[in-house]
Every structure is written in structure tokens, then in C-alpha cells.
Amino acid sequence: MSGTAQPQPWHRMEIGEGGSGPTFVWLHGWGQTLASLERIAQLFKADGRHILFDQPGFGQTPPPPTGAGSADYADMLAAELARLGVGPCIFVGHSFGARVSVQMAARHPALVSAIVLVAGAGLRRRKTFKAKARSFVIRLVGNIARLSDDILGTALRERHRDRFGSPDYKKAGVLRPTLVSVVNENLIAEARAARCPALLVYGSDDTETPPQIGRRYEAALPIARYVELAGFGHLDILSRGAWQVEAAMRAFLNDLRKGDSL
């Protein structure tokens, strides 16, 4: 449904005075709200204007159209920024927010001066043979359960979801079609199409978006810097790791100001 998304107001919080500094757009991860990024954003409040959004379906922003993918989120965000008269911006995205940031760089480059991906999702993980076999069996059982429900009127599909569905899937509610859409995305082409500088910050202990994804982003993005923070996972990189993320971002931003090659 890319390209068909309709503009709608996004709930936001603003930090900083702006002035001569850049405008930052902060995009949270799946199941989170703008509050998850407030701690790090506050560390940069003297560096420019900061707009933290609740993305559609989270916090106080209404859900997107059914089945919207990250491209649709980017198109809706572009419309929201046009309404606010904002751009170009530095986009800081955590996890799912990184997907949207990459899509913004590929689809709306005039609005993007740089992207910062913190524990960024969007590339498919390389699975072991054992993991691939398990996924195949789970899909097969799910298809059999769906067929049984359709023909025999059983309720096996829901039981299958309860047993094998991820926590995000079980809690997604009306966003289930969107979750299915985004987890099946592979943004390698979009990453290659991005022409802005990119900072990639990943935790060494992250099991949801492991460092291998960051390294693959580094290889795909034309202008990229990869930073791995030892001892941090997918969520505590935003809290316990806030100071380390700040340090990586400040070095990146300083080099952008100086025009240094990344």
C-alpha cells in the first residue's frame, strides 16, 4: 500500500530552542513511545531543536491504515514534517524507528541531512540451518492449522499463535498486519539508495537486532560509521547506555560540522 498513506497528526514533544542548530527527529522502537528516547534527547537539548514523535499506533498517535509498512510510515512522517514546515533534519531511530529513518533517507532525501540508527532493525537476520528448519516447521504447522479451521471449523490457528507467536505479535492488536508487514521487510535496497551520512550504534549483547545487522548496514549504506557498545542489549542501550550513545553521536555530529569524511 506504499504511497497511499493519508496524512494524520502525530503526537509530539519538543525539546530545545533550535536557533542556529540542526533539527533532530526522534523515532522510537516497536511497542514504545517517544518517552523511550527522551533521556538521550535531553542530553542534546542545547544542540538544536528536537522533535520526538509517537509513531502511528503507539502512545497518543492514532493507528495507521491496516497493513502499513515502514515506507508508509515514512510517507506519513514526510507529510507531518511538511505540515510543521520542518526539514532537512537529523533522524535518530531506535529499532523500528531506524526502519523509518532508512526509508526517509531513501524516499524523501530532501528532508534528511543524516540518520542515526540505534539498534536498528530492517535487515533480515542470517539464520542457522537449525533455526531455518524450526521456522519451516512452525509455518507448516500454522498452515495446517489454518486449513483445519477453514474446513473443519476448528480453532487451531489461534492456539498456534498463542504458542509460537512473538510477544510483540501477541500484543499487537490492530497493528498485527503492520507488524507482519515490517518484520518481512528487507531494506538493503533502501539502505544502498540513501546518500546521507549514517551512524550505526549497536549493543554487543543485543539479541533482537544483533551487531551483524549493523555491520550489514555499514556495508550497504554509502556513507556510514559503525560503533559497537560493549555490554548493552536492545533496550538498555537507551537507558544504561545513554551516555555512551551520546558520546558516539557527538563524535559523529562534530565530524559532520567539520565536513570530515566518515
Side-chain angles (χ1 to χ4, degrees):
M1 65 169 281
S2 296
T4 65
Q6 296 300 311
Q8 60 178 319
W10 291 27
H11 175 70
R12 71 184 191 277
M13 169 192 290
E14 295 207 21
I15 298 171
E17 298 297 327
S20 60
T23 297
F24 295 75
V25 171
W26 298 76
L27 302 172
H28 61 78
W30 188 270
Q32 305 295 313
T33 69
L34 61 80
S36 67
L37 294 173
E38 185 178 357
R39 179 172 182 177
I40 298 177
Q42 288 284 0
L43 298 174
F44 291 91
K45 66 181 179 181
D47 294 81
R49 179 186 181 187
H50 302 270
I51 307 175
L52 292 76
F53 284 109
D54 279 343
Q55 297 194 75
F58 304 100
Q60 298 181 50
T61 300
T66 301
S70 62
D72 300 295
Y73 273 73
D75 292 347
M76 289 186 284
L77 178 54
E80 181 69 8
L81 295 178
R83 186 181 70 81
L84 296 174
V86 174
C89 307
I90 297 171
F91 289 78
V92 185
H94 172 247
S95 194
F96 172 68
R99 294 179 187 265
V100 180
S101 298
V102 171
Q103 291 281 16
M104 287 295 299
R107 298 171 68 84
H108 304 283
L111 293 175
V112 183
S113 56
I115 57 176
V116 177
L117 312 185
V118 182
L123 300 181
R124 292 176 184 169
R125 297 174 61 172
R126 294 192 174 106
K127 295 182 178 180
T128 64
F129 175 80
K130 182 178 179 180
K132 289 179 180 178
R134 183 177 186 275
S135 296
F136 173 80
V137 171
I138 290 174
R139 286 196 303 271
L140 178 62
V141 173
N143 289 335
I144 293 172
R146 184 184 300 110
L147 186 62
S148 175
D149 290 356
D150 292 342
I151 296 175
L152 303 177
T154 58
L156 297 179
R157 181 59 176 161
E158 193 61 33
R159 291 169 61 185
H160 180 269
R161 288 172 176 165
D162 289 342
R163 180 171 181 179
F164 296 109
S166 69
D168 282 342
Y169 184 84
K170 293 175 184 178
K171 294 185 293 185
V174 297
L175 290 177
R176 275 187 178 181
T178 289
L179 180 60
V180 171
S181 177
V182 298
V183 298
N184 287 311
E185 292 174 346
N186 185 14
L187 303 185
I188 191 72
E190 288 79 1
R192 289 171 177 161
R195 290 295 177 266
C196 63
L199 172 65
L200 315 170
V201 183
Y202 284 75
S204 64
D205 297 346
D206 191 338
T207 57
E208 294 188 45
T209 53
Q212 61 158 278
I213 292 179
R215 286 298 188 185
R216 288 167 59 207
Y217 263 132
E218 181 187 25
L221 288 157
I223 311 170
R225 172 184 296 175
Y226 175 83
V227 176
E228 188 171 317
L229 302 181
F232 293 101
H234 192 66
L235 293 177
D236 68 355
I237 197 171
L238 301 179
S239 53
R240 192 169 57 86
W243 296 104
Q244 288 87 339
V245 173
E246 180 200 14
M249 286 182 60
R250 287 206 178 279
F252 174 73
L253 295 172
N254 287 338
D255 286 345
L256 290 183
R257 294 186 190 102
K258 293 185 297 184
D260 290 357
S261 172
L262 298 177

